[in-house]
Coordinates of all heavy atoms in Angstrom, one line a residue:
Chain A
V194 N 107.4 159.1 98.2 CA 107.5 160.4 98.5 C 107.9 160.6 100.0 O 107.8 161.7 100.5 CB 106.1 161.1 98.3 CG1 105.8 161.1 96.8 CG2 105.1 160.4 99.1
V195 N 108.4 159.7 100.6 CA 108.7 159.8 102.0 C 109.8 160.5 102.3 O 111.0 160.2 101.8 CB 108.7 158.3 102.7 CG1 108.9 158.5 104.1 CG2 107.4 157.6 102.3
S196 N 109.8 161.6 103.0 CA 110.9 162.4 103.5 C 111.7 161.9 104.6 O 111.0 161.3 105.5 CB 110.4 163.8 103.7 OG 111.6 164.5 104.4
R197 N 112.9 161.8 104.7 CA 113.7 161.3 105.8 C 114.4 162.4 106.6 O 115.3 162.2 107.3 CB 114.7 160.3 105.3 CG 114.0 159.1 104.8 CD 114.9 158.1 104.2 NE 114.2 156.9 103.7 CZ 113.8 155.9 104.4 NH1 114.0 155.9 105.6 NH2 113.2 154.9 103.9
A198 N 114.1 163.6 106.1 CA 114.9 164.8 106.7 C 114.4 165.2 108.1 O 115.2 165.9 108.8 CB 114.8 166.0 105.7
Q199 N 113.2 164.8 108.4 CA 112.7 165.3 109.7 C 113.3 164.7 111.0 O 113.7 163.6 111.1 CB 111.2 165.1 109.8 CG 110.4 165.9 110.8 CD 108.9 165.6 110.8 OE1 108.4 164.7 110.0 NE2 108.2 166.5 111.3
T200 N 113.4 165.5 112.0 CA 114.0 165.2 113.3 C 112.9 165.1 114.4 O 111.8 165.9 114.1 CB 115.1 166.0 113.7 OG1 114.6 167.2 114.0 CG2 116.2 166.1 112.6
P201 N 113.2 164.5 115.4 CA 112.1 164.6 116.4 C 111.7 165.9 116.9 O 110.6 166.2 117.4 CB 112.8 163.7 117.6 CG 113.8 162.9 116.9 CD 114.3 163.7 115.8
T202 N 112.7 166.9 116.8 CA 112.4 168.3 117.2 C 111.8 169.1 116.2 O 111.6 170.4 116.6 CB 113.7 168.8 117.9 OG1 114.7 168.8 116.8 CG2 114.1 168.0 119.0
A203 N 111.7 168.7 115.1 CA 111.2 169.6 114.0 C 109.9 170.0 114.2 O 109.1 169.3 114.8 CB 111.4 168.9 112.7
A204 N 109.5 171.1 113.7 CA 108.1 171.6 113.9 C 107.2 170.8 113.1 O 107.5 170.4 112.0 CB 108.1 173.1 113.5
V205 N 106.0 170.5 113.7 CA 105.1 169.7 112.9 C 104.1 170.5 112.3 O 103.4 171.2 113.1 CB 104.4 168.6 113.9 CG1 103.5 167.8 113.2 CG2 105.6 167.6 114.5
V206 N 103.9 170.5 111.0 CA 102.9 171.2 110.4 C 101.5 170.4 110.5 O 101.5 169.3 110.8 CB 103.2 171.7 108.9 CG1 104.5 172.3 108.9 CG2 103.4 170.2 108.2
P207 N 100.5 171.1 110.4 CA 99.2 170.4 110.4 C 99.2 169.2 109.5 O 99.6 169.3 108.4 CB 98.2 171.5 110.0 CG 98.8 172.8 110.4 CD 100.3 172.6 110.1
A208 N 98.6 168.2 109.9 CA 98.6 166.9 109.2 C 97.7 167.1 107.9 O 96.6 167.7 108.0 CB 97.9 165.8 110.1
N209 N 98.3 166.5 106.9 CA 97.5 166.6 105.5 C 97.1 165.2 105.1 O 98.1 164.3 104.9 CB 98.6 167.2 104.6 CG 98.0 167.4 103.2 OD1 97.3 166.4 102.7 ND2 98.2 168.5 102.6
A210 N 95.9 165.0 105.0 CA 95.4 163.6 104.8 C 95.9 163.1 103.4 O 96.1 161.9 103.1 CB 93.9 163.5 104.9
S211 N 96.0 164.1 102.5 CA 96.5 163.6 101.1 C 98.0 163.1 101.1 O 98.3 162.1 100.5 CB 96.5 164.8 100.2 OG 95.1 165.2 99.9
N212 N 98.7 163.8 101.9 CA 100.1 163.3 102.1 C 100.1 161.9 102.9 O 101.0 161.0 102.6 CB 101.0 164.3 102.9 CG 101.3 165.6 102.2 OD1 101.1 165.6 101.0 ND2 101.7 166.6 103.0
G213 N 99.2 161.9 103.8 CA 99.0 160.5 104.6 C 98.7 159.4 103.7 O 99.1 158.2 103.8
K214 N 97.9 159.7 102.6 CA 97.5 158.6 101.7 C 98.8 158.1 101.0 O 99.0 156.9 100.7 CB 96.5 159.1 100.5 CG 96.2 158.1 99.6 CD 95.1 158.6 98.6 CE 94.8 157.7 97.6 NZ 93.6 158.0 96.7
A215 N 99.7 159.1 100.6 CA 100.9 158.7 100.0 C 101.7 157.8 100.9 O 102.4 156.8 100.5 CB 101.7 159.9 99.6
V216 N 101.7 158.2 102.1 CA 102.5 157.3 103.2 C 101.9 156.0 103.2 O 102.6 154.9 103.2 CB 102.5 158.0 104.5 CG1 103.2 157.1 105.6 CG2 103.2 159.3 104.4
Y217 N 100.5 155.8 103.3 CA 99.9 154.6 103.4 C 100.1 153.7 102.3 O 100.3 152.4 102.5 CB 98.3 154.9 103.5 CG 97.4 153.7 103.8 CD1 97.2 153.4 105.3 CD2 96.8 152.9 102.9 CE1 96.5 152.3 105.6 CE2 96.0 151.8 103.3 CZ 95.8 151.6 104.6 OH 95.1 150.6 105.1
L218 N 100.2 154.3 101.1 CA 100.6 153.5 99.9 C 102.0 153.1 99.7 O 102.3 151.9 99.5 CB 100.0 154.2 98.6 CG 98.7 154.4 98.4 CD1 98.3 155.4 97.3 CD2 97.9 153.1 98.3
A219 N 102.9 154.0 100.1 CA 104.3 153.8 99.9 C 104.8 152.8 101.0 O 105.5 151.9 100.7 CB 105.1 155.1 100.0
H220 N 104.3 152.9 102.2 CA 104.7 151.9 103.2 C 103.8 150.7 103.2 O 104.0 149.8 103.9 CB 104.6 152.5 104.5 CG 105.8 153.5 104.9 ND1 106.9 152.8 105.5 CD2 106.1 154.8 104.6 CE1 107.8 153.9 105.6 NE2 107.3 155.0 105.1
Q221 N 103.0 150.5 102.3 CA 102.1 149.3 101.9 C 101.4 148.9 103.1 O 101.4 147.7 103.5 CB 103.0 148.2 101.4 CG 103.7 148.6 100.2 CD 105.1 147.9 99.9 OE1 105.1 146.7 100.1 NE2 106.1 148.7 99.6
C222 N 100.7 150.0 103.9 CA 100.0 149.6 105.1 C 98.8 148.7 104.5 O 98.2 148.0 105.3 CB 99.4 150.9 105.7 SG 100.8 152.1 106.2
W223 N 98.4 148.9 103.3 CA 97.3 148.0 102.8 C 97.6 146.6 102.8 O 96.7 145.7 102.7 CB 96.9 148.6 101.4 CG 98.2 148.7 100.5 CD1 98.9 150.0 100.2 CD2 98.9 147.7 99.8 NE1 99.9 149.7 99.4 CE2 99.9 148.3 99.0 CE3 98.7 146.4 99.5 CZ2 100.8 147.6 98.2 CZ3 99.5 145.6 98.7 CH2 100.5 146.3 98.1
A224 N 98.9 146.2 102.9 CA 99.2 144.8 102.9 C 98.4 144.0 103.9 O 97.9 143.0 103.7 CB 100.7 144.6 103.0
C225 N 98.4 144.6 105.2 CA 97.6 143.9 106.3 C 96.2 144.6 106.5 O 95.4 143.7 107.0 CB 98.5 144.2 107.6 SG 100.0 143.4 107.5
H226 N 96.0 145.8 106.1 CA 94.8 146.6 106.6 C 93.9 146.7 105.4 O 92.8 147.4 105.6 CB 95.2 147.7 107.4 CG 96.1 147.6 108.4 ND1 95.8 146.9 109.6 CD2 97.3 148.1 108.6 CE1 96.9 146.9 110.4 NE2 97.9 147.6 109.7

Side-chain angles (χ1 to χ4, degrees):
Chain A
V194 298
V195 181
S196 164
R197 296 174 178 278
Q199 196 172 13
T200 68
T202 56
V205 175
V206 300
N209 180 315
S211 296
N212 290 346
K214 178 177 181 178
V216 174
Y217 193 85
L218 294 176
H220 280 269
Q221 300 154 51
C222 306
W223 46 266
C225 295
H226 305 295

